[in-house]
Short mmCIF file of all heavy atoms in Angstrom, two decimals:
data_model
loop_
_atom_site.label_atom_id
_atom_site.label_comp_id
_atom_site.label_asym_id
_atom_site.label_seq_id
_atom_site.Cartn_x
_atom_site.Cartn_y
_atom_site.Cartn_z
N MET A 1026 18.98 -58.71 6.64
CA MET A 1026 18.52 -57.82 7.71
C MET A 1026 19.18 -56.45 7.57
O MET A 1026 18.49 -55.47 7.66
CB MET A 1026 18.91 -58.50 9.05
CG MET A 1026 18.62 -57.68 10.25
SD MET A 1026 16.84 -57.67 10.55
CE MET A 1026 16.78 -56.87 12.06
N THR A 1027 20.47 -56.44 7.25
CA THR A 1027 21.18 -55.15 7.13
C THR A 1027 20.64 -54.38 5.90
O THR A 1027 20.53 -53.18 5.93
CB THR A 1027 22.69 -55.44 6.97
OG1 THR A 1027 23.11 -56.23 8.08
CG2 THR A 1027 23.41 -54.13 7.00
N LEU A 1028 20.35 -55.15 4.84
CA LEU A 1028 19.85 -54.44 3.60
C LEU A 1028 18.51 -53.79 3.86
O LEU A 1028 18.19 -52.70 3.43
CB LEU A 1028 19.73 -55.52 2.50
CG LEU A 1028 19.35 -54.96 1.12
CD1 LEU A 1028 20.43 -53.98 0.66
CD2 LEU A 1028 19.24 -56.12 0.17
N VAL A 1029 17.63 -54.45 4.65
CA VAL A 1029 16.30 -53.92 4.97
C VAL A 1029 16.47 -52.68 5.84
O VAL A 1029 15.81 -51.67 5.63
CB VAL A 1029 15.44 -55.01 5.65
CG1 VAL A 1029 14.15 -54.37 6.17
CG2 VAL A 1029 15.14 -56.15 4.73
N LEU A 1030 17.34 -52.75 6.79
CA LEU A 1030 17.62 -51.61 7.69
C LEU A 1030 18.22 -50.40 6.94
O LEU A 1030 17.78 -49.31 7.16
CB LEU A 1030 18.59 -52.06 8.80
CG LEU A 1030 18.72 -51.11 9.98
CD1 LEU A 1030 17.42 -50.91 10.63
CD2 LEU A 1030 19.73 -51.67 11.00
N ALA A 1031 19.08 -50.69 5.98
CA ALA A 1031 19.69 -49.64 5.17
C ALA A 1031 18.63 -49.01 4.24
O ALA A 1031 18.61 -47.76 4.15
CB ALA A 1031 20.86 -50.17 4.36
N ALA A 1032 17.75 -49.80 3.69
CA ALA A 1032 16.71 -49.30 2.89
C ALA A 1032 15.74 -48.46 3.65
O ALA A 1032 15.27 -47.38 3.20
CB ALA A 1032 15.96 -50.45 2.14
N THR A 1033 15.39 -48.88 4.85
CA THR A 1033 14.50 -48.14 5.77
C THR A 1033 15.12 -46.80 6.16
O THR A 1033 14.45 -45.75 6.14
CB THR A 1033 14.17 -48.96 7.00
OG1 THR A 1033 13.60 -50.20 6.63
CG2 THR A 1033 13.16 -48.23 7.87
N LEU A 1034 16.40 -46.83 6.46
CA LEU A 1034 17.11 -45.60 6.82
C LEU A 1034 17.13 -44.67 5.63
O LEU A 1034 16.89 -43.44 5.77
CB LEU A 1034 18.54 -45.98 7.29
CG LEU A 1034 19.37 -44.76 7.71
CD1 LEU A 1034 18.71 -44.04 8.95
CD2 LEU A 1034 20.75 -45.20 8.07
N ALA A 1035 17.42 -45.16 4.42
CA ALA A 1035 17.44 -44.31 3.22
C ALA A 1035 16.08 -43.69 2.97
O ALA A 1035 15.93 -42.51 2.60
CB ALA A 1035 17.92 -45.19 2.03
N ALA A 1036 15.02 -44.51 3.11
CA ALA A 1036 13.68 -44.00 2.85
C ALA A 1036 13.32 -42.93 3.96
O ALA A 1036 12.70 -41.92 3.60
CB ALA A 1036 12.66 -45.13 2.92
N THR A 1037 13.73 -43.16 5.16
CA THR A 1037 13.48 -42.19 6.22
C THR A 1037 14.21 -40.88 5.96
O THR A 1037 13.63 -39.75 6.08
CB THR A 1037 13.84 -42.77 7.59
OG1 THR A 1037 13.22 -43.97 7.81
CG2 THR A 1037 13.53 -41.80 8.70
N LEU A 1038 15.46 -41.01 5.56
CA LEU A 1038 16.22 -39.80 5.24
C LEU A 1038 15.67 -39.01 4.03
O LEU A 1038 15.64 -37.79 4.01
CB LEU A 1038 17.70 -40.13 4.99
CG LEU A 1038 18.50 -40.49 6.30
CD1 LEU A 1038 19.89 -40.95 5.91
CD2 LEU A 1038 18.46 -39.35 7.25
N ALA A 1039 15.21 -39.77 3.02
CA ALA A 1039 14.60 -39.16 1.85
C ALA A 1039 13.30 -38.44 2.25
O ALA A 1039 13.07 -37.30 1.78
CB ALA A 1039 14.35 -40.17 0.78
N GLY A 1040 12.52 -39.03 3.07
CA GLY A 1040 11.26 -38.37 3.54
C GLY A 1040 11.59 -37.13 4.39
O GLY A 1040 10.92 -36.11 4.26
N LEU A 1041 12.63 -37.24 5.24
CA LEU A 1041 13.04 -36.07 6.04
C LEU A 1041 13.56 -34.94 5.15
O LEU A 1041 13.25 -33.74 5.38
CB LEU A 1041 14.12 -36.51 7.02
CG LEU A 1041 14.61 -35.46 7.99
CD1 LEU A 1041 13.49 -35.00 8.90
CD2 LEU A 1041 15.76 -36.00 8.82
N ALA A 1042 14.31 -35.28 4.13
CA ALA A 1042 14.79 -34.26 3.21
C ALA A 1042 13.68 -33.62 2.44
O ALA A 1042 13.63 -32.39 2.26
CB ALA A 1042 15.81 -34.90 2.23
N LYS A 1043 12.71 -34.39 2.03
CA LYS A 1043 11.57 -33.88 1.32
C LYS A 1043 10.72 -32.95 2.22
O LYS A 1043 10.36 -31.84 1.81
CB LYS A 1043 10.67 -35.00 0.85
CG LYS A 1043 9.43 -34.59 0.13
CD LYS A 1043 8.56 -35.78 -0.27
CE LYS A 1043 7.21 -35.34 -0.77
NZ LYS A 1043 6.28 -36.45 -1.03
N THR A 1044 10.54 -33.34 3.46
CA THR A 1044 9.80 -32.48 4.43
C THR A 1044 10.56 -31.21 4.69
O THR A 1044 9.92 -30.14 4.75
CB THR A 1044 9.56 -33.26 5.75
OG1 THR A 1044 8.88 -34.50 5.47
CG2 THR A 1044 8.79 -32.48 6.73
N LEU A 1045 11.89 -31.31 4.82
CA LEU A 1045 12.65 -30.13 5.06
C LEU A 1045 12.63 -29.17 3.90
O LEU A 1045 12.46 -27.93 4.05
CB LEU A 1045 14.12 -30.54 5.38
CG LEU A 1045 15.08 -29.40 5.72
CD1 LEU A 1045 14.64 -28.72 7.01
CD2 LEU A 1045 16.49 -29.93 5.77
N LEU A 1046 12.70 -29.69 2.68
CA LEU A 1046 12.60 -28.80 1.49
C LEU A 1046 11.22 -28.19 1.36
O LEU A 1046 11.14 -26.98 0.99
CB LEU A 1046 12.93 -29.66 0.25
CG LEU A 1046 14.41 -29.99 0.05
CD1 LEU A 1046 14.63 -30.89 -1.13
CD2 LEU A 1046 15.25 -28.69 -0.08
N LEU A 1047 10.18 -28.91 1.63
CA LEU A 1047 8.84 -28.32 1.59
C LEU A 1047 8.68 -27.24 2.62
O LEU A 1047 8.07 -26.22 2.35
CB LEU A 1047 7.77 -29.42 1.74
CG LEU A 1047 7.56 -30.33 0.58
CD1 LEU A 1047 6.57 -31.44 0.93
CD2 LEU A 1047 7.04 -29.52 -0.61
N ALA A 1048 9.21 -27.43 3.83
CA ALA A 1048 9.15 -26.44 4.86
C ALA A 1048 9.93 -25.20 4.43
O ALA A 1048 9.49 -24.05 4.68
CB ALA A 1048 9.70 -26.99 6.15
N LEU A 1049 11.08 -25.39 3.85
CA LEU A 1049 11.92 -24.29 3.38
C LEU A 1049 11.17 -23.46 2.23
O LEU A 1049 11.18 -22.27 2.24
CB LEU A 1049 13.26 -24.76 2.80
CG LEU A 1049 14.34 -23.82 2.61
CD1 LEU A 1049 14.64 -23.07 3.92
CD2 LEU A 1049 15.55 -24.45 2.05
N ILE A 1050 10.50 -24.18 1.35
CA ILE A 1050 9.73 -23.50 0.30
C ILE A 1050 8.54 -22.73 0.91
O ILE A 1050 8.23 -21.61 0.49
CB ILE A 1050 9.23 -24.51 -0.74
CG1 ILE A 1050 10.42 -25.03 -1.55
CG2 ILE A 1050 8.16 -23.96 -1.65
CD1 ILE A 1050 10.10 -26.19 -2.49
N ALA A 1051 7.92 -23.27 1.98
CA ALA A 1051 6.83 -22.59 2.60
C ALA A 1051 7.31 -21.29 3.32
O ALA A 1051 6.66 -20.27 3.19
CB ALA A 1051 6.15 -23.50 3.62
N VAL A 1052 8.49 -21.36 3.93
CA VAL A 1052 9.08 -20.18 4.60
C VAL A 1052 9.38 -19.14 3.53
O VAL A 1052 9.09 -17.95 3.69
CB VAL A 1052 10.29 -20.56 5.40
CG1 VAL A 1052 11.04 -19.33 5.87
CG2 VAL A 1052 9.85 -21.39 6.63
N LEU A 1053 9.98 -19.57 2.43
CA LEU A 1053 10.34 -18.63 1.34
C LEU A 1053 9.07 -18.00 0.80
O LEU A 1053 9.05 -16.76 0.51
CB LEU A 1053 11.11 -19.37 0.23
CG LEU A 1053 11.54 -18.49 -0.92
CD1 LEU A 1053 12.48 -17.40 -0.50
CD2 LEU A 1053 12.20 -19.38 -2.00
N ASN A 1054 8.03 -18.77 0.62
CA ASN A 1054 6.78 -18.24 0.08
C ASN A 1054 6.18 -17.22 1.07
O ASN A 1054 5.65 -16.18 0.61
CB ASN A 1054 5.80 -19.38 -0.10
CG ASN A 1054 4.55 -18.96 -0.86
OD1 ASN A 1054 4.59 -17.97 -1.57
ND2 ASN A 1054 3.46 -19.72 -0.67
N ALA A 1055 6.28 -17.49 2.34
CA ALA A 1055 5.75 -16.49 3.34
C ALA A 1055 6.53 -15.22 3.30
O ALA A 1055 5.98 -14.13 3.40
CB ALA A 1055 5.80 -17.14 4.78
N VAL A 1056 7.84 -15.31 3.17
CA VAL A 1056 8.66 -14.11 3.15
C VAL A 1056 8.35 -13.29 1.87
O VAL A 1056 8.20 -12.05 1.93
CB VAL A 1056 10.18 -14.49 3.17
CG1 VAL A 1056 11.04 -13.28 2.86
CG2 VAL A 1056 10.54 -15.03 4.54
N LEU A 1057 8.18 -13.98 0.74
CA LEU A 1057 7.86 -13.27 -0.47
C LEU A 1057 6.49 -12.61 -0.42
O LEU A 1057 6.26 -11.47 -0.95
CB LEU A 1057 7.96 -14.21 -1.69
CG LEU A 1057 9.34 -14.66 -2.06
CD1 LEU A 1057 9.32 -15.71 -3.16
CD2 LEU A 1057 10.20 -13.48 -2.48
N ALA A 1058 5.51 -13.30 0.23
CA ALA A 1058 4.19 -12.70 0.41
C ALA A 1058 4.26 -11.51 1.28
O ALA A 1058 3.55 -10.50 1.00
CB ALA A 1058 3.26 -13.78 0.98
N LEU A 1059 5.06 -11.51 2.33
CA LEU A 1059 5.18 -10.39 3.23
C LEU A 1059 5.85 -9.19 2.47
O LEU A 1059 5.36 -8.09 2.62
CB LEU A 1059 6.08 -10.74 4.41
CG LEU A 1059 6.33 -9.63 5.39
CD1 LEU A 1059 5.07 -9.22 6.13
CD2 LEU A 1059 7.46 -10.04 6.40
N LEU A 1060 6.85 -9.47 1.62
CA LEU A 1060 7.42 -8.40 0.84
C LEU A 1060 6.45 -7.81 -0.14
O LEU A 1060 6.41 -6.60 -0.36
CB LEU A 1060 8.67 -8.88 0.12
CG LEU A 1060 9.90 -9.22 1.03
CD1 LEU A 1060 10.98 -9.84 0.22
CD2 LEU A 1060 10.36 -7.96 1.72
N ALA A 1061 5.66 -8.63 -0.74
CA ALA A 1061 4.64 -8.15 -1.69
C ALA A 1061 3.61 -7.30 -0.99
O ALA A 1061 3.22 -6.27 -1.46
CB ALA A 1061 3.98 -9.32 -2.42
N ALA A 1062 3.19 -7.68 0.20
CA ALA A 1062 2.21 -6.91 0.97
C ALA A 1062 2.82 -5.57 1.39
O ALA A 1062 2.12 -4.52 1.27
CB ALA A 1062 1.77 -7.69 2.22
N LEU A 1063 4.09 -5.59 1.78
CA LEU A 1063 4.69 -4.30 2.15
C LEU A 1063 4.85 -3.38 0.94
O LEU A 1063 4.62 -2.15 1.04
CB LEU A 1063 6.12 -4.55 2.76
CG LEU A 1063 6.09 -5.14 4.17
CD1 LEU A 1063 7.52 -5.48 4.57
CD2 LEU A 1063 5.46 -4.20 5.14
N ALA A 1064 5.12 -3.90 -0.19
CA ALA A 1064 5.27 -3.10 -1.42
C ALA A 1064 3.92 -2.53 -1.78
O ALA A 1064 3.81 -1.33 -2.20
CB ALA A 1064 5.81 -3.95 -2.58
N THR A 1065 2.87 -3.30 -1.63
CA THR A 1065 1.53 -2.82 -1.93
C THR A 1065 1.11 -1.68 -0.99
O THR A 1065 0.63 -0.63 -1.42
CB THR A 1065 0.52 -3.98 -1.81
OG1 THR A 1065 0.88 -5.00 -2.72
CG2 THR A 1065 -0.91 -3.53 -2.16
N TRP A 1066 1.35 -1.90 0.32
CA TRP A 1066 0.98 -0.85 1.26
C TRP A 1066 1.83 0.41 1.07
O TRP A 1066 1.41 1.56 1.31
CB TRP A 1066 1.11 -1.35 2.70
CG TRP A 1066 -0.10 -2.19 3.01
CD1 TRP A 1066 -0.16 -3.50 3.21
CD2 TRP A 1066 -1.48 -1.72 3.12
NE1 TRP A 1066 -1.42 -3.93 3.48
CE2 TRP A 1066 -2.26 -2.86 3.41
CE3 TRP A 1066 -2.08 -0.48 3.06
CZ2 TRP A 1066 -3.61 -2.79 3.60
CZ3 TRP A 1066 -3.46 -0.39 3.21
CH2 TRP A 1066 -4.19 -1.55 3.46
N LYS A 1067 3.12 0.24 0.69
CA LYS A 1067 3.99 1.37 0.42
C LYS A 1067 3.41 2.18 -0.76
O LYS A 1067 3.42 3.40 -0.72
CB LYS A 1067 5.39 0.88 0.09
CG LYS A 1067 6.37 1.99 -0.17
CD LYS A 1067 7.76 1.38 -0.49
CE LYS A 1067 8.52 2.36 -1.36
NZ LYS A 1067 9.65 1.76 -1.90
N THR A 1068 2.90 1.50 -1.75
CA THR A 1068 2.28 2.18 -2.87
C THR A 1068 1.02 2.94 -2.46
O THR A 1068 0.83 4.07 -2.83
CB THR A 1068 1.95 1.15 -3.99
OG1 THR A 1068 3.09 0.43 -4.34
CG2 THR A 1068 1.32 1.83 -5.21
N TYR A 1069 0.19 2.28 -1.64
CA TYR A 1069 -1.06 2.93 -1.15
C TYR A 1069 -0.68 4.17 -0.31
O TYR A 1069 -1.32 5.18 -0.35
CB TYR A 1069 -1.89 2.03 -0.31
CG TYR A 1069 -2.68 1.00 -1.17
CD1 TYR A 1069 -2.78 -0.31 -0.69
CD2 TYR A 1069 -3.27 1.35 -2.31
CE1 TYR A 1069 -3.51 -1.22 -1.47
CE2 TYR A 1069 -3.95 0.45 -3.07
CZ TYR A 1069 -4.07 -0.84 -2.64
OH TYR A 1069 -4.78 -1.78 -3.39
N LEU A 1070 0.38 4.06 0.50
CA LEU A 1070 0.77 5.14 1.39
C LEU A 1070 1.30 6.29 0.52
O LEU A 1070 0.95 7.47 0.77
CB LEU A 1070 1.88 4.69 2.32
CG LEU A 1070 2.43 5.72 3.29
CD1 LEU A 1070 1.29 6.21 4.25
CD2 LEU A 1070 3.54 5.20 4.11
N ALA A 1071 2.09 6.01 -0.50
CA ALA A 1071 2.55 7.06 -1.39
C ALA A 1071 1.42 7.73 -2.14
O ALA A 1071 1.37 8.95 -2.29
CB ALA A 1071 3.60 6.51 -2.36
N LEU A 1072 0.49 6.97 -2.61
CA LEU A 1072 -0.67 7.51 -3.35
C LEU A 1072 -1.54 8.33 -2.43
O LEU A 1072 -1.96 9.42 -2.77
CB LEU A 1072 -1.46 6.35 -3.95
CG LEU A 1072 -2.64 6.73 -4.84
CD1 LEU A 1072 -2.16 7.48 -6.06
CD2 LEU A 1072 -3.44 5.51 -5.25
N GLY A 1073 -1.77 7.88 -1.21
CA GLY A 1073 -2.58 8.63 -0.24
C GLY A 1073 -1.90 9.91 0.13
O GLY A 1073 -2.57 10.97 0.27
N THR A 1074 -0.60 9.90 0.32
CA THR A 1074 0.14 11.13 0.62
C THR A 1074 0.07 12.14 -0.53
O THR A 1074 -0.16 13.34 -0.29
CB THR A 1074 1.59 10.80 0.95
OG1 THR A 1074 1.64 9.82 1.97
CG2 THR A 1074 2.36 12.01 1.34
N LYS A 1075 0.16 11.60 -1.73
CA LYS A 1075 0.04 12.50 -2.90
C LYS A 1075 -1.33 13.12 -3.01
O LYS A 1075 -1.45 14.32 -3.21
CB LYS A 1075 0.34 11.68 -4.14
CG LYS A 1075 0.79 12.52 -5.37
CD LYS A 1075 1.11 11.63 -6.54
CE LYS A 1075 2.36 10.83 -6.25
NZ LYS A 1075 2.81 10.04 -7.37
N VAL A 1076 -2.36 12.28 -2.78
CA VAL A 1076 -3.75 12.88 -2.86
C VAL A 1076 -3.93 13.90 -1.75
O VAL A 1076 -4.55 14.94 -1.91
CB VAL A 1076 -4.79 11.69 -2.75
CG1 VAL A 1076 -6.14 12.21 -2.49
CG2 VAL A 1076 -4.69 10.89 -4.01
N LEU A 1077 -3.43 13.63 -0.53
CA LEU A 1077 -3.54 14.54 0.56
C LEU A 1077 -2.86 15.85 0.28
O LEU A 1077 -3.43 16.92 0.55
CB LEU A 1077 -2.97 13.91 1.85
CG LEU A 1077 -3.01 14.82 3.09
CD1 LEU A 1077 -4.43 15.00 3.61
CD2 LEU A 1077 -2.16 14.23 4.21
N LEU A 1078 -1.65 15.82 -0.25
CA LEU A 1078 -0.95 17.04 -0.58
C LEU A 1078 -1.70 17.81 -1.69
O LEU A 1078 -1.74 19.03 -1.66
CB LEU A 1078 0.48 16.76 -1.01
CG LEU A 1078 1.42 16.33 0.13
CD1 LEU A 1078 2.78 15.90 -0.41
CD2 LEU A 1078 1.60 17.39 1.13
N ILE A 1079 -2.23 17.11 -2.69
CA ILE A 1079 -2.98 17.80 -3.72
C ILE A 1079 -4.18 18.47 -3.17
O ILE A 1079 -4.51 19.66 -3.37
CB ILE A 1079 -3.37 16.81 -4.83
CG1 ILE A 1079 -2.14 16.42 -5.64
CG2 ILE A 1079 -4.39 17.39 -5.74
CD1 ILE A 1079 -2.34 15.29 -6.63
N ALA A 1080 -4.92 17.77 -2.28
CA ALA A 1080 -6.09 18.35 -1.63
C ALA A 1080 -5.69 19.58 -0.73
O ALA A 1080 -6.36 20.55 -0.70
CB ALA A 1080 -6.84 17.32 -0.81
N LEU A 1081 -4.57 19.40 -0.04
CA LEU A 1081 -4.18 20.45 0.91
C LEU A 1081 -3.80 21.71 0.16
O LEU A 1081 -4.10 22.79 0.68
CB LEU A 1081 -2.95 19.94 1.70
CG LEU A 1081 -2.41 20.81 2.84
CD1 LEU A 1081 -3.48 20.88 3.94
CD2 LEU A 1081 -1.15 20.26 3.36
N PHE A 1082 -3.21 21.64 -0.99
CA PHE A 1082 -2.83 22.83 -1.73
C PHE A 1082 -3.86 23.28 -2.75
O PHE A 1082 -3.98 24.48 -3.01
CB PHE A 1082 -1.47 22.60 -2.37
CG PHE A 1082 -0.36 22.54 -1.41
CD1 PHE A 1082 0.30 21.35 -1.18
CD2 PHE A 1082 0.04 23.63 -0.68
CE1 PHE A 1082 1.34 21.27 -0.23
CE2 PHE A 1082 1.07 23.58 0.26
CZ PHE A 1082 1.73 22.38 0.46
N CYS A 1083 -4.59 22.34 -3.39
CA CYS A 1083 -5.49 22.71 -4.47
C CYS A 1083 -6.82 23.24 -3.94
O CYS A 1083 -7.40 24.14 -4.49
CB CYS A 1083 -5.70 21.55 -5.44
SG CYS A 1083 -4.24 21.27 -6.42
N VAL A 1084 -7.34 22.71 -2.83
CA VAL A 1084 -8.64 23.07 -2.35
C VAL A 1084 -8.63 24.59 -1.91
O VAL A 1084 -9.53 25.32 -2.32
CB VAL A 1084 -9.12 22.21 -1.20
CG1 VAL A 1084 -10.31 22.74 -0.51
CG2 VAL A 1084 -9.42 20.79 -1.74
N PRO A 1085 -7.65 25.05 -1.14
CA PRO A 1085 -7.64 26.49 -0.87
C PRO A 1085 -7.47 27.40 -2.10
O PRO A 1085 -8.12 28.44 -2.19
CB PRO A 1085 -6.45 26.65 0.08
CG PRO A 1085 -6.20 25.37 0.67
CD PRO A 1085 -6.60 24.37 -0.42
N VAL A 1086 -6.71 26.95 -3.02
CA VAL A 1086 -6.47 27.73 -4.29
C VAL A 1086 -7.78 27.81 -5.03
O VAL A 1086 -8.19 28.91 -5.50
CB VAL A 1086 -5.34 27.13 -5.16
CG1 VAL A 1086 -5.31 27.78 -6.52
CG2 VAL A 1086 -4.03 27.27 -4.44
N VAL A 1087 -8.51 26.69 -5.16
CA VAL A 1087 -9.79 26.70 -5.86
C VAL A 1087 -10.78 27.55 -5.06
O VAL A 1087 -11.57 28.37 -5.67
CB VAL A 1087 -10.35 25.26 -6.02
CG1 VAL A 1087 -11.74 25.26 -6.49
CG2 VAL A 1087 -9.42 24.54 -7.03
N GLY A 1088 -10.74 27.52 -3.76
CA GLY A 1088 -11.63 28.38 -2.94
C GLY A 1088 -11.33 29.80 -3.10
O GLY A 1088 -12.28 30.62 -3.22
N LEU A 1089 -10.12 30.20 -3.17
CA LEU A 1089 -9.76 31.58 -3.42
C LEU A 1089 -10.19 32.06 -4.80
O LEU A 1089 -10.73 33.18 -4.99
CB LEU A 1089 -8.26 31.82 -3.28
CG LEU A 1089 -7.75 31.81 -1.84
CD1 LEU A 1089 -6.20 31.88 -1.84
CD2 LEU A 1089 -8.32 33.01 -1.10
N LEU A 1090 -10.03 31.20 -5.79
CA LEU A 1090 -10.51 31.54 -7.13
C LEU A 1090 -11.99 31.73 -7.20
O LEU A 1090 -12.51 32.65 -7.84
CB LEU A 1090 -10.03 30.52 -8.16
CG LEU A 1090 -8.51 30.44 -8.49
CD1 LEU A 1090 -8.17 29.32 -9.38
CD2 LEU A 1090 -8.07 31.79 -9.09
N VAL A 1091 -12.70 30.84 -6.53
CA VAL A 1091 -14.16 30.97 -6.53
C VAL A 1091 -14.61 32.25 -5.84
O VAL A 1091 -15.46 32.98 -6.29
CB VAL A 1091 -14.83 29.73 -5.80
CG1 VAL A 1091 -16.27 29.96 -5.51
CG2 VAL A 1091 -14.69 28.52 -6.70
N PHE A 1092 -13.93 32.60 -4.72
CA PHE A 1092 -14.23 33.84 -4.04
C PHE A 1092 -13.90 35.07 -4.94
O PHE A 1092 -14.67 35.99 -4.96
CB PHE A 1092 -13.42 33.93 -2.74
CG PHE A 1092 -13.58 35.27 -2.06
CD1 PHE A 1092 -14.77 35.58 -1.42
CD2 PHE A 1092 -12.58 36.20 -2.06
CE1 PHE A 1092 -14.93 36.84 -0.81
CE2 PHE A 1092 -12.71 37.38 -1.46
CZ PHE A 1092 -13.91 37.76 -0.83
N LEU A 1093 -12.74 34.98 -5.61
CA LEU A 1093 -12.41 36.13 -6.46
C LEU A 1093 -13.41 36.32 -7.58
O LEU A 1093 -13.75 37.46 -7.98
CB LEU A 1093 -10.98 35.97 -7.04
CG LEU A 1093 -9.89 36.17 -5.97
CD1 LEU A 1093 -8.57 35.81 -6.63
CD2 LEU A 1093 -9.85 37.56 -5.47
N VAL A 1094 -13.89 35.21 -8.17
CA VAL A 1094 -14.81 35.30 -9.31
C VAL A 1094 -16.22 35.59 -8.88
O VAL A 1094 -16.90 36.45 -9.40
CB VAL A 1094 -14.74 34.01 -10.14
CG1 VAL A 1094 -15.82 33.93 -11.17
CG2 VAL A 1094 -13.38 33.84 -10.75
N TRP A 1095 -16.70 34.92 -7.83
CA TRP A 1095 -18.11 34.95 -7.51
C TRP A 1095 -18.40 35.60 -6.11
O TRP A 1095 -19.31 36.35 -5.93
CB TRP A 1095 -18.69 33.57 -7.53
CG TRP A 1095 -20.15 33.40 -7.20
CD1 TRP A 1095 -21.21 33.82 -7.91
CD2 TRP A 1095 -20.67 32.91 -5.93
NE1 TRP A 1095 -22.37 33.56 -7.27
CE2 TRP A 1095 -22.08 32.98 -6.04
CE3 TRP A 1095 -20.08 32.40 -4.84
CZ2 TRP A 1095 -22.89 32.60 -4.99
CZ3 TRP A 1095 -20.93 31.98 -3.79
CH2 TRP A 1095 -22.30 32.05 -3.87
N GLY A 1096 -17.53 35.30 -5.18
CA GLY A 1096 -17.77 35.70 -3.84
C GLY A 1096 -17.64 37.19 -3.54
O GLY A 1096 -18.39 37.74 -2.78
N GLN A 1097 -16.75 37.82 -4.26
CA GLN A 1097 -16.58 39.33 -4.03
C GLN A 1097 -17.87 40.04 -4.47
O GLN A 1097 -18.31 40.97 -3.79
CB GLN A 1097 -15.37 39.82 -4.85
CG GLN A 1097 -14.09 39.60 -4.21
CD GLN A 1097 -12.93 40.22 -4.97
OE1 GLN A 1097 -13.11 40.58 -6.14
NE2 GLN A 1097 -11.78 40.36 -4.30
N ARG A 1098 -18.49 39.58 -5.54
CA ARG A 1098 -19.70 40.25 -6.01
C ARG A 1098 -20.82 40.01 -4.99
O ARG A 1098 -21.56 40.99 -4.66
CB ARG A 1098 -20.10 39.60 -7.33
CG ARG A 1098 -21.33 40.24 -7.92
CD ARG A 1098 -21.69 39.71 -9.30
NE ARG A 1098 -21.60 38.26 -9.42
CZ ARG A 1098 -22.67 37.49 -9.28
NH1 ARG A 1098 -23.84 38.00 -8.97
NH2 ARG A 1098 -22.58 36.18 -9.37
N VAL A 1099 -20.91 38.81 -4.44
CA VAL A 1099 -21.92 38.51 -3.45
C VAL A 1099 -21.68 39.40 -2.17
O VAL A 1099 -22.67 39.99 -1.63
CB VAL A 1099 -21.97 37.06 -3.06
CG1 VAL A 1099 -22.87 36.76 -1.93
CG2 VAL A 1099 -22.32 36.24 -4.28
N VAL A 1100 -20.48 39.48 -1.72
CA VAL A 1100 -20.17 40.30 -0.55
C VAL A 1100 -20.47 41.78 -0.81
O VAL A 1100 -21.08 42.49 -0.01
CB VAL A 1100 -18.68 40.13 -0.13
CG1 VAL A 1100 -18.29 41.14 0.91
CG2 VAL A 1100 -18.44 38.72 0.36
N ARG A 1101 -20.12 42.30 -2.01
CA ARG A 1101 -20.34 43.67 -2.36
C ARG A 1101 -21.86 43.95 -2.41
O ARG A 1101 -22.31 44.96 -1.93
CB ARG A 1101 -19.75 43.96 -3.74
CG ARG A 1101 -18.97 45.22 -3.78
CD ARG A 1101 -18.33 45.54 -5.17
NE ARG A 1101 -18.54 44.57 -6.20
CZ ARG A 1101 -17.55 43.76 -6.67
NH1 ARG A 1101 -16.34 43.83 -6.13
NH2 ARG A 1101 -17.82 42.91 -7.64
N ASP A 1102 -22.60 42.96 -2.98
CA ASP A 1102 -24.05 43.18 -3.11
C ASP A 1102 -24.72 43.16 -1.72
O ASP A 1102 -25.70 43.86 -1.48
CB ASP A 1102 -24.67 42.11 -3.98
CG ASP A 1102 -24.32 42.25 -5.43
OD1 ASP A 1102 -23.83 43.34 -5.80
OD2 ASP A 1102 -24.48 41.26 -6.17
N ASN A 1103 -24.19 42.39 -0.76
CA ASN A 1103 -24.79 42.25 0.56
C ASN A 1103 -24.38 43.42 1.45
O ASN A 1103 -24.98 43.56 2.55
CB ASN A 1103 -24.46 40.92 1.18
CG ASN A 1103 -25.18 39.81 0.55
OD1 ASN A 1103 -26.29 39.99 0.05
ND2 ASN A 1103 -24.56 38.62 0.53
N GLN A 1104 -23.39 44.17 1.09
CA GLN A 1104 -22.93 45.23 1.93
C GLN A 1104 -23.80 46.53 1.71
O GLN A 1104 -23.80 47.44 2.49
CB GLN A 1104 -21.47 45.63 1.67
CG GLN A 1104 -20.52 44.66 2.36
CD GLN A 1104 -19.06 45.02 2.06
OE1 GLN A 1104 -18.78 45.81 1.16
NE2 GLN A 1104 -18.15 44.39 2.80
N ARG A 1105 -24.50 46.58 0.64
CA ARG A 1105 -25.34 47.77 0.32
C ARG A 1105 -26.66 47.75 1.02
O ARG A 1105 -27.19 46.87 1.46
CB ARG A 1105 -25.58 47.84 -1.17
CG ARG A 1105 -24.28 48.06 -1.92
CD ARG A 1105 -24.51 48.15 -3.37
NE ARG A 1105 -23.23 48.22 -4.00
CZ ARG A 1105 -23.04 47.99 -5.29
NH1 ARG A 1105 -24.06 47.75 -6.05
NH2 ARG A 1105 -21.90 48.08 -5.83
#
């Protein structure tokens, strides 16, 4: 009787340890997935900021160059 009870207790503890380890692995997997998602969004944010700054500074410069090359002539022609 005692041997059966000890074997049942050992099997129960082994099952509990297995369940606990699987839960711990699942939590670790969730934390790693969250960190990967944050790293991805950080990359997108940095890339978007870089594109925004390029657009903010390059578009007016290109517009001024177009005006200097082509727009002044058009304005001069339309003033006559």
Side-chain angles (χ1 to χ4, degrees):
M1026 177 74 175
T1027 306
L1028 186 61
V1029 172
L1030 193 58
T1033 305
L1034 181 62
T1037 304
L1038 288 176
L1041 183 63
K1043 178 183 171 187
T1044 304
L1045 183 65
L1046 286 175
L1047 285 175
L1049 194 59
I1050 289 172
V1052 168
L1053 180 61
N1054 190 24
V1056 168
L1057 290 175
L1059 179 67
L1060 289 174
L1063 287 175
T1065 302
W1066 282 111
K1067 182 180 153 192
T1068 303
Y1069 285 140
L1070 180 64
L1072 184 64
T1074 304
K1075 199 177 294 185
V1076 168
L1077 178 70
L1078 288 174
I1079 288 171
L1081 186 67
F1082 290 111
C1083 289
V1084 169
V1086 170
V1087 170
L1089 285 174
L1090 290 174
V1091 168
F1092 174 73
L1093 288 174
V1094 170
W1095 178 74
Q1097 280 184 343
R1098 182 175 49 92
V1099 172
V1100 170
R1101 224 181 0 252
D1102 291 343
N1103 287 331
Q1104 284 179 346
R1105 295 182 188 162

